[in-house]
């Protein structure tokens, strides 16, 4: 394993773990705030218990997200010193603002966790809302920094020096809105279906059904609404990528040849040597329509990209197909769910319907991971698109492979701890409330 591959693998591993913690940390506080609001309005003790249960989960993911995010910030300097030397002064503003949002989130979470029966009821609820808003802002700011890598702005290069730095222009680059929108909606969809799946499983086991039914409904509505909105944000993102990063779009679609009336490829196995896709379903003219709004527009293919700047096609294409395939499946589940609510079908209590959500619970995060593979691998070989190659940014320090092995062990251990804590948290619910949802004596 050479140092470049080891550095990229370590960064991919760290991002892959952190993005799950970050998504849940962004979204779960809103679930918690809705349950808390329902308790304040109805005085139903089940909602109070649900709020407290979810707040413990928020605390767990806040802690793990803080740890993994801190590791990532150190890795940027450790693995990519040349990149940080030039990029740090340019896109440092969203990172500094993200730190501010993180501090606000930490303070608000402390107020919420220890504010029961100490604060005004509505002020206490408001602190929970602040946890969600600040966590969401934190995620958007980090995505803005990543968007700058895909759409660099806010500086000029003169004789190899990065000058005329405008941090505001860098933060609000051409890609920040579409990436932030797509990522935010993906976080709500993934977390919503994951949480709904856990509670659906507990309903199937007939454990505290009233408690888990309320939790399931809140999470499922969030996840289903987000899943239905995601194709719209995906369309905006794809059009933006087609304009700014034609090589990435061509890799996503395994579109080897520039042509008019370009077909949309579904599935298939790219043959990079012979510049074709085997076993694919093609919809004539659909790629042109998605990019240009008409069925005859010219779509640039990989044949227009210099060979030295070609992204890995097979990995990018497969990741894109996985993301889109899962997204469409979650859309169908969401339509089915809202159809049952509208028609008041008894399916909500049927085992097959609940198992559908259980099976869907990990899929949103698989789609999130696949989407980040598309974003990062599709940008290669650039670390700053069109400006700096990834190979030119890696550290000259030897032995990065050992660092990769060490961090792999750390993240696996951290994940096992998180799984244990969440399992214990779920098992604690029957201790708090009996099957009639009445408080038990401690």
């Amino acid at each position: 394993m050479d140092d470049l591959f080891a550095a990229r693998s370590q960064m991919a591993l760290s991002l892959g773990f952190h993005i799950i913690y970050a998504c849940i940390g962004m979204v779960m506080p809103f679930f918690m705030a809705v349950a808390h609001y329902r308790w304040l309005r109805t005085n139903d003790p089940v909602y109070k218990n649900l709020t407290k249960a979810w707040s413990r989960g928020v605390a767990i993911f806040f802690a793990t997200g803080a740890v993994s995010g801190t590791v990532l910030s150190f890795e940027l300097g450790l693995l990519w010193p040349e990149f940080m030397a030039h990029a740090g002064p340019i896109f440092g503003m969203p990172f500094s603002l993200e730190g501010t949002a993180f501090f606000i989130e930490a303070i608000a979470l402390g107020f919420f966790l220890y504010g029961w029966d100490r604060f005004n009821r509505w002020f206490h609820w408001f602190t929970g809302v602040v946890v969600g808003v600040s966590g969401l802002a934190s995620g958007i700011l980090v995505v803005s920094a990543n968007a700058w890598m895909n759409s660099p702005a806010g500086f000029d290069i003169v004789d190899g020096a990065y000058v005329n730095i405008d941090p505001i222009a860098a933060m609000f680059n051409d890609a920040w809105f579409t990436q932030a929108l797509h990522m935010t909606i993906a976080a709500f969809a993934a977390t919503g279906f994951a949480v709904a799946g856990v509670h659906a499983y507990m309903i199937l086991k007939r454990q505290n059904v009233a408690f888990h039914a309320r939790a399931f409904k809140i999470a499922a509505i969030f996840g289903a609404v987000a899943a239905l909105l995601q194709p719209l944000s995906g369309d905006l993102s794809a059009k933006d990528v087609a304009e700014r990063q034609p090589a990435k779009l061509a890799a996503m679609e395994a579109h080897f040849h520039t042509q008019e009336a370009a077909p949309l490829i579904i599935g298939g196995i790219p043959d990079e040597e012979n510049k074709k896709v085997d076993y694919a379903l093609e919809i004539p003219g659909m790629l042109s329509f998605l990019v240009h709004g008409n069925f005859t527009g010219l779509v640039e293919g990989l044949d227009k990209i210099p060979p030295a700047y070609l992204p890995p096609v097979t990995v990018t294409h497969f990741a894109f197909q996985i993301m889109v395939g899962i997204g469409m499946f979650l859309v169908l589940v969401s339509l089915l769910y809202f159809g049952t609510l509208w028609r008041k079908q008894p399916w909500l209590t049927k085992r097959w319907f609940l198992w559908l959500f259980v099976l869907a619970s990990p899929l949103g995060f698989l789609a999130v991971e696949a989407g980040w593979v598309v974003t990062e691998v599709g940008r290669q070989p650039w670390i700053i698109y069109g400006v700096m190659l990834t190979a030119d940014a890696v550290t000259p320090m030897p032995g990065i492979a050992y660092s990769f092995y060490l961090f792999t062990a750390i993240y696996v251990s951290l994940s096992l701890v998180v799984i244990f804590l969440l399992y214990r948290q779920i098992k604690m619910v029957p201790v708090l409330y009996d099957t009639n949802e009445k408080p038990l004596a401690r």
Side-chain angles (χ1 to χ4, degrees), residues 3 78-79 395-400 403:
D3 287 342
L78 172 69
L79 301 176
T395 178
M397 181 180 69
I400 295 299
S403 174

Side-chain angles (χ1 to χ4, degrees), residues 219-299:
I221 288 176
F222 269 100
V225 170
L228 293 175
L229 292 175
Q230 190 68 312
L232 301 178
S233 70
D235 181 64
L236 290 176
S237 295
K239 285 181 168 60
D240 181 65
V241 168
E243 180 180 348
R244 293 182 300 94
Q245 295 177 292
K248 179 185 288 187
L249 178 74
M252 288 159 53
E253 298 289 349
H255 184 58
F256 287 102
H257 305 289
T258 301
Q259 64 183 107
E260 296 178 342
L264 178 69
I265 294 175
I266 300 176
I269 302 175
D271 183 348
E272 297 187 51
E273 182 178 352
N274 296 309
K275 312 298 182 187
K276 64 176 184 175
V277 182
D278 297 320
Y279 315 112
L281 173 65
E282 295 188 0
I283 304 178
M286 184 56 68
L287 182 59
S288 292
F289 177 78
L290 294 175
V291 172
H292 300 291
N294 62 73
F295 291 96
T296 59
L298 182 71
V299 179

Side-chain angles (χ1 to χ4, degrees), residues 184-254:
T184 300
I185 296 175
F188 274 92
T191 306
F193 273 95
V195 174
V198 170
H199 291 288
Y201 180 72
M202 300 307 292
I203 294 171
L204 286 166
K205 294 183 69 175
R206 308 300 300 173
Q207 294 187 5
N208 289 38
V209 172
F211 173 92
H212 291 292
R214 287 168 172 82
F216 170 81
K217 185 174 183 179
I218 293 172
I221 288 176
F222 269 100
V225 170
L228 293 175
L229 292 175
Q230 190 68 312
L232 301 178
S233 70
D235 181 64
L236 290 176
S237 295
K239 285 181 168 60
D240 181 65
V241 168
E243 180 180 348
R244 293 182 300 94
Q245 295 177 292
K248 179 185 288 187
L249 178 74
M252 288 159 53
E253 298 289 349

Side-chain angles (χ1 to χ4, degrees), residues 29-30 32-33 36 108-109 112 123-133:
F30 291 101
M32 179 183 75
H36 196 181
L109 182 59
F112 187 84
F123 176 77
H124 184 219
W125 171 79
F126 176 73
T127 62
V129 174
V130 172
V131 174
V133 172

Side-chain angles (χ1 to χ4, degrees), residues 51-84:
T51 303
K52 288 188 173 184
W54 274 346
S55 69
R56 297 186 185 101
V58 169
I60 291 170
F61 282 103
F62 176 82
T64 52
V67 171
S68 58
T70 302
V71 170
L72 270 172
S73 64
F74 281 112
E75 284 181 333
L76 284 172
L78 172 69
L79 301 176
W80 316 103
E82 187 67 20
F83 166 72
M84 290 303 296

